[in-house]
Amino acid sequence: MLSRNLPTVSPCPSRAEVLAFSLYMLSRRLWLSNPTAKVRPLFRPPLYRTTALVTLRCTYGTATSSKSAQLAEQLEQGSRYALAKSITLVESSRSDHRALAQELLSTVLKRQKESKDAKPTFRIGLSGSPGVGKSTFIEAFGMYLLEQGHKVAVLAVDPSSSRTGGSILGDKTRMTELSRADDAYVRPSPSRGTLGGVSDVARNTNEAIILCEAAGYDVTLVETVGVGQSETMVAEMVDMFVLLVGPGGGDELQGLKKGIVELSDMVIVNKADGKLEDAARSAAMDYTSAIKFLQSPSPLWKAKVVRVSSRNNIGIDKSWEIMKSYFDTMTAAHKLAEKRGAQRKVWMWRQITSELVDRLNGDENVKKHVAKLESQVFDGKMTSGQAADSVVDVFLNKVKENKI
Ligand SMILES: Nc1nc2c(ncn2[C@@H]2O[C@H](COP(=O)(O)OP(=O)(O)OP(=O)(O)O)[C@@H](O)[C@H]2O)c(=O)[nH]1
């Protein structure tokens, strides 16, 4: 990136310097266009080279920051176009995009900190197996929130899209009514090629949440599907984690899936209508009694269970009432800010770990060294611990020599 490659010369040139340089360039141009004329460059400001450099530096150095300031401004004005563009920057793997995204995030965070009348924001994670009715619920719930005067953003965390290029959540048209509403923003799943691993998905989503909030969306719904670590990941980036289950009952109460109920601050039994109503009632009772014996994510809150028919718009208001009550309880005890701070720290360390491993894996010398060590470990000539120490030593030595 140009602003990175140019030497840092500060401060910016004074007006007099810029004027002197411009006069010099003008007289030079006149002279070059007509060398016989007696308009030779009359003077050469002693600092003109530096001035040129400084001018360039200022022009290109501020190009990124003025672009990011402009985007931040448009975001604050609630431009959906600016929001989509900003999230694309955050998701991009291009280094100039990432640099711009980082500038933008810094500007946005600074403005949020300085703003005295910032609206409170609420981040809600929503998970459930495929087909349980997540889109239908979000559509109905989102429209209800709009009626209550909220601005709603919907983001999707779909680890399948980074692994396979396809996506469980994003391949079909979803939430059509909500997508068209003025005060809603529905972000489709990131497409192929924009993501790396799970850690990148998390980073992008965390940053996208900040951008949505900067654009005035006070409720952000982060939707995920119960695949791999995605539920735990989402639970660790939101204020409240909601699990959507079907009326068939209780799969989530068995074995491995039990952990996900334990993470949940609320369980919504969806499809509580028609022939499924009785089944939904008994599933709700099963969840309510099971939750009594599970550990709560917070000592201040015991998970609630609610029956909903997203298709018939039943129980949507009750769901919001419970969510608001959670929000009020946690805010009154100053627990939300604490939770967000702790989450940021956790993600910082995960990002550090993943970034270090990426750099380590990307280094050619380390790769060669690892290849040798792997065969020694395989043959039992070296323990895995010894090999790991050796790889890290090689890597750190290169870092010390400023080669990485
Ligand atoms: N009876 C009934 N059916 C529902 C309800 N909510 C959703 N459905 C149906 O359940 C099916 C799946 O709904 P979706 O909203 O697409 O489910 P999803 O969880 O988003 O599914 P994926 O996008 O595949 O993860 C659709 O046929 C919906 O019409 C409900 O409240 N009652």
Side-chain angles (χ1 to χ4, degrees), residues 128-137 168-169 172 174 223 225 244 270-273 276 308-312:
S129 320
V132 77
K134 292 181 296 299
S135 323
T136 317
F137 175 79
I168 295 178
L169 291 172
K172 58 187 164 152
R174 318 167 83 236
E223 178 196 8
V225 70
L244 217 76
N270 191 35
K271 305 192 185 180
D273 51 50
L276 298 171
V308 162
S309 167
S310 307
R311 188 182 272 176
N312 300 344

Side-chain angles (χ1 to χ4, degrees), residues 218-246:
D218 59 326
V219 181
T220 303
L221 303 174
V222 184
E223 178 196 8
T224 192
V225 70
V227 169
Q229 311 152 335
S230 69
E231 288 166 319
T232 326
M233 189 207 292
V234 169
E236 285 175 340
M237 56 175 73
V238 293
D239 303 326
M240 182 178 197
F241 185 70
V242 177
L243 177 66
L244 217 76
V245 296

Side-chain angles (χ1 to χ4, degrees), residues 141-337:
F141 183 64
M143 294 308 287
Y144 175 79
L145 291 183
L146 296 187
E147 280 168 25
Q148 307 298 307
H150 294 283
K151 280 188 80 173
V152 183
V154 181
L155 304 172
V157 169
D158 185 354
S160 60
S161 65
S162 64
R163 279 203 302 268
T164 63
S167 97
I168 295 178
L169 291 172
D171 285 347
K172 58 187 164 152
T173 314
R174 318 167 83 236
M175 304 158 218
T176 43
E177 208 186 338
L178 194 63
S179 316
R180 282 198 300 263
D182 281 345
D183 280 339
Y185 174 77
V186 180
R187 176 82 181 170
S189 282
S191 54
R192 180 184 211 140
T194 48
L195 296 167
V198 167
S199 155
D200 291 318
V201 181
R203 177 187 179 143
N204 297 344
T205 313
N206 274 317
E207 293 178 346
I209 294 175
I210 292 168
L211 295 170
C212 290
E213 292 175 350
Y217 294 87
D218 59 326
V219 181
T220 303
L221 303 174
V222 184
E223 178 196 8
T224 192
V225 70
V227 169
Q229 311 152 335
S230 69
E231 288 166 319
T232 326
M233 189 207 292
V234 169
E236 285 175 340
M237 56 175 73
V238 293
D239 303 326
M240 182 178 197
F241 185 70
V242 177
L243 177 66
L244 217 76
V245 296
D251 280 359
E252 281 81 1
L253 293 172
Q254 315 296 323
L256 283 177
K257 276 276 173 186
K258 215 166 94 185
I260 202 65
V261 182
E262 232 160 3
L263 278 180
S264 309
D265 300 300
M266 177 177 174
V267 175
I268 293 179
V269 182
N270 191 35
K271 305 192 185 180
D273 51 50
K275 286 185 194 151
L276 298 171
E277 211 170 337
D278 286 343
R281 187 170 293 112
S282 96
M285 274 170 9
D286 289 350
Y287 280 98
T288 310
S289 45
I291 280 167
K292 282 190 196 133
F293 301 103
L294 296 178
Q295 204 178 345
S296 299
S298 159
L300 292 178
W301 181 262
K302 197 81 199 159
K304 308 278 182 294
V305 180
V306 64
R307 277 176 291 134
V308 162
S309 167
S310 307
R311 188 182 272 176
N312 300 344
N313 255 314
I314 297 168
I316 300 289
D317 49 353
K318 181 87 195 295
S319 304
W320 179 233
E321 210 176 281
I322 295 173
M323 290 180 199
K324 259 199 328 198
S325 147
Y326 173 89
F327 184 83
D328 293 342
T329 308
M330 301 301 271
T331 314
H334 304 290
K335 289 292 174 199
L336 269 197

